[in-house]
Amino acid sequence: MELYWNKTIETMPREQIRELQLTKLRATVENVYTNVPYYREKMQEKGLLPGDVKTLDNLKDLPVIVKQDLRDTYPFGLFAAPMQDIVRIHASSGTTGKQTVVGYTKRDIDVWAECMARCFVMSGADKDSRIQVGYGYGLFTGGLGAHYGAEKLGAVTIPASSGNTRRQITMLKDFGVTHLCCTPSYSLYIAETMAEMGIKRDELKLKSGLFGAEPWSDAMKQEIESRLGLRAHDIYGLSEIMGPSVSQDCHCQKGLHIWEDCFIAEITHPDSGEPLGEGEMGELVITTINKEGFPLIRYKTKDICSLTYKQCDCGRSHVRMSKPAGRTDDMLIIRGVNVFPSQIESVLLNMGEVEPHYQIVVERVNNLDTMTVEIEISESMLSDNVKGIENAEQKLSKQIDSILGINAKIKLVEPKSIPRSEGKAKRIIDNRKI
């Protein structure tokens, strides 16, 4: 089995990576300055011209872009290529405000497929693999992004999309699927449904899964691997940047490799925007340097992580990002304490007596924020007496308090009483009127 899809690029020496990035950055800045009035105005406000980008250090001088900029220029205001060269459009779910719309040229689609093929190879796939794509198809980038990468690899591609879970499981078993792509929460729902159907994990031929599109903890990773009998890989992407395949962990699983021939990654302070050093936690900011239709300069992702430039044991030289600790917009502030759902998830899964299905409900009572964590108990706990369940609730409450420094009410609920999702799980219900 090949270790790399594109060894020349994936193991390129760091100095060569930086030289390539500078060449592509300068071309990208020239492109947006010439073809996107919105960018040109932002650069002129800072007194910048494309020729001012002489080194990679000049990147920090360029203006940042946030999601609101995409909404303000809806639908095609940030496109750098004419519409006759755009071959596909994707868009975000648009849960708040207008959708964010992105466009791809034929070359952009080819680059995307190349990056996704690299990710599949990192997960152990090859042209003999059978890949079931359980991400949703359509305007969401997950389904088609994984699909084109699997076909680029030459693997058997099964476009299952999301939903119809029992049929998904039948295909996993009957088609001899080796690699599964879906959200981590949905993979656990698949495992749960398999148990209801009486199908054991050793009846499947799954080797690995590429899971992303929502925050998930290392404890959930272990739970998925245990229930499905595969190696769980963390894949990262944003529709605004490209879609899935911006980065992924390799077999070493010591961070997610960002494809630096296509993206430049920075870590900045979430509030001040000041650059942070290697290993420091902050907001991930990404510049695309290999896109024609919809290039973005210094896009604030809202994902919190750190970077390391040390070469990985797998031999790849591209920078690695840590698993995102959460998002600045998913982060809850409860009585002055920053809380990420992934922190709570780790506590729940490490306990072992509850199921990995939960919701965090936040209320404001008499001007005081309260947090209730609703968690499903396991089938084995159903037979416990009331005292046993109360003890479990107290134990979880103490563990959360010790880790987060905040008191949370724990409410254990019956199995399967928390709504399941075939896509991104809804973890937070914030009922405060802020």
Side-chain angles (χ1 to χ4, degrees):
M1 182 179 294
E2 290 291 333
L3 183 60
Y4 311 106
W5 169 252
N6 188 336
K7 184 175 182 180
T8 300
I9 292 293
E10 295 176 49
T11 63
M12 182 179 287
R14 282 228 56 82
E15 191 55 41
Q16 288 185 28
I17 289 177
R18 288 181 61 83
E19 291 174 3
L20 180 62
Q21 286 183 323
L22 178 59
T23 299
K24 289 188 173 185
L25 174 63
R26 296 182 70 177
T28 299
V29 172
E30 181 70 44
N31 181 21
V32 298
Y33 188 90
T34 302
N35 297 310
V36 185
Y38 192 81
Y39 270 114
R40 185 162 58 249
E41 291 170 10
K42 277 185 164 286
M43 288 182 63
Q44 288 174 345
E45 287 172 4
K46 294 175 73 74
L48 292 173
L49 293 170
D52 293 328
V53 179
K54 301 183 185 303
T55 71
L56 287 179
D57 289 339
N58 294 133
L59 180 64
K60 67 179 183 300
D61 303 324
L62 295 171
V64 297
I65 292 290
V66 298
K67 182 163 282 192
Q68 189 59 46
D69 291 310
L70 278 64
R71 295 189 176 121
D72 290 344
T73 54
Y74 175 90
F76 308 134
L78 289 183
F79 283 25
M83 289 304 294
Q84 58 263 39
D85 292 339
I86 298 295
V87 300
R88 192 192 300 168
I89 285 176
H90 281 285
S92 70
S93 57
T95 53
T96 57
K98 293 180 179 178
Q99 288 182 304
T100 55
V101 181
V102 297
Y104 302 77
T105 65
K106 175 61 170 63
R107 181 178 175 277
D108 291 336
I109 297 294
D110 291 342
V111 169
W112 188 4
E114 158 77 18
C115 290
M116 192 69 220
R118 295 179 196 173
C119 291
F120 276 123
V121 172
M122 280 203 294
S123 72
D126 57 27
K127 64 181 179 61
D128 296 320
S129 299
R130 301 175 190 180
I131 299 173
Q132 184 159 315
V133 181
Y135 289 116
Y137 282 63
L139 290 176
F140 173 58
T141 55
L144 285 168
H147 183 106
Y148 273 60
E151 289 192 343
K152 177 83 170 179
L153 180 63
V156 174
T157 307
I158 303 162
S161 192
S162 58
N164 204 333
T165 306
R166 286 177 176 262
R167 185 183 67 177
Q168 295 258 6
I169 293 166
T170 299
M171 290 190 294
L172 287 172
K173 181 181 177 184
D174 294 351
F175 296 174
V177 173
T178 58
H179 294 72
L180 173 65
C181 306
C182 64
T183 60
S185 58
Y186 188 52
S187 74
L188 284 176
Y189 185 40
I190 288 174
E192 182 179 77
T193 307
M194 280 173 52
E196 293 174 359
M197 295 170 67
I199 296 176
K200 296 181 173 58
R201 73 177 200 179
D202 58 9
E203 295 181 57
L204 305 182
K205 295 183 178 179
L206 285 173
K207 296 179 180 178
S208 72
L210 284 69
F211 306 121
E214 64 185 12
W216 54 307
S217 64
D218 287 334
M220 179 176 274
K221 173 183 179 296
Q222 294 168 10
E223 187 82 10
I224 292 169
E225 291 180 336
S226 172
R227 293 194 180 194
L228 289 178
L230 49 67
R231 168 170 276 194
H233 287 269
D234 196 346
I235 188 167
Y236 175 83
L238 306 88
S239 61
E240 304 95 303
I241 296 299
M242 177 179 278
S245 78
V246 172
S247 68
Q248 186 187 284
D249 58 7
C250 62
H251 68 274
C252 297
Q253 298 195 311
K254 295 179 180 178
L256 287 69
H257 292 274
I258 299 174
W259 302 122
E260 290 189 276
D261 56 317
C262 298
F263 314 103
I264 300 177
E266 304 173 76
I267 297 294
T268 65
H269 191 283
D271 298 323
S272 69
E274 288 298 310
L276 298 177
E278 182 174 358
E280 293 187 272
M281 294 290 288
E283 181 174 6
L284 178 64
V285 176
I286 294 180
T287 297
T288 67
I289 53 173
N290 208 16
K291 289 184 71 177
E292 296 176 329
F294 191 79
L296 284 180
I297 307 291
R298 303 198 74 206
Y299 182 70
K300 292 170 67 69
T301 68
K302 294 190 175 182
D303 288 310
I304 303 298
C305 64
S306 63
L307 298 178
T308 178
Y309 292 90
K310 182 181 178 181
Q311 182 164 315
C312 183
D313 291 340
C314 74
R316 292 177 179 86
S317 52
H318 294 236
V319 66
R320 283 170 288 155
M321 57 183 277
S322 64
K323 187 180 189 66
R327 288 175 56 82
T328 58
D329 54 356
D330 281 348
M331 181 180 71
L332 288 166
I333 302 178
I334 309 294
R335 299 194 293 278
V337 178
N338 295 343
V339 178
F340 287 110
S342 57
Q343 295 173 303
I344 294 174
E345 181 180 288
S346 294
V347 174
L348 307 186
L349 292 173
N350 286 332
M351 180 176 177
E353 298 172 328
V354 294
E355 293 295 304
H357 302 290
Y358 66 95
Q359 280 189 329
I360 302 166
V361 182
V362 185
E363 309 273 1
R364 181 159 287 176
V365 180
N366 297 325
N367 296 317
L368 182 67
D369 290 342
T370 65
M371 183 171 71
T372 301
V373 184
E374 297 179 352
I375 313 155
E376 288 186 9
I377 60 174
S378 62
E379 294 282 355
S380 61
M381 285 188 69
L382 277 176
S383 58
D384 282 3
N385 56 33
V386 173
K387 187 66 176 176
I389 292 176
E390 287 178 350
N391 288 339
E393 289 177 338
Q394 291 173 5
K395 180 180 177 181
L396 280 167
S397 182
K398 287 180 180 178
Q399 289 178 331
I400 290 174
D401 189 15
S402 67
I403 290 176
L404 301 180
I406 187 172
N407 180 260
K409 180 182 177 182
I410 304 299
K411 182 180 179 181
L412 297 181
V413 299
E414 292 185 358
K416 301 181 178 63
S417 60
I418 292 176
R420 302 297 193 258
S421 172
E422 295 165 353
K424 296 184 181 183
K426 184 174 177 59
R427 299 298 195 195
I428 299 171
I429 300 175
D430 195 339
N431 294 325
R432 295 175 294 180
K433 307 297 183 185
I434 299 178

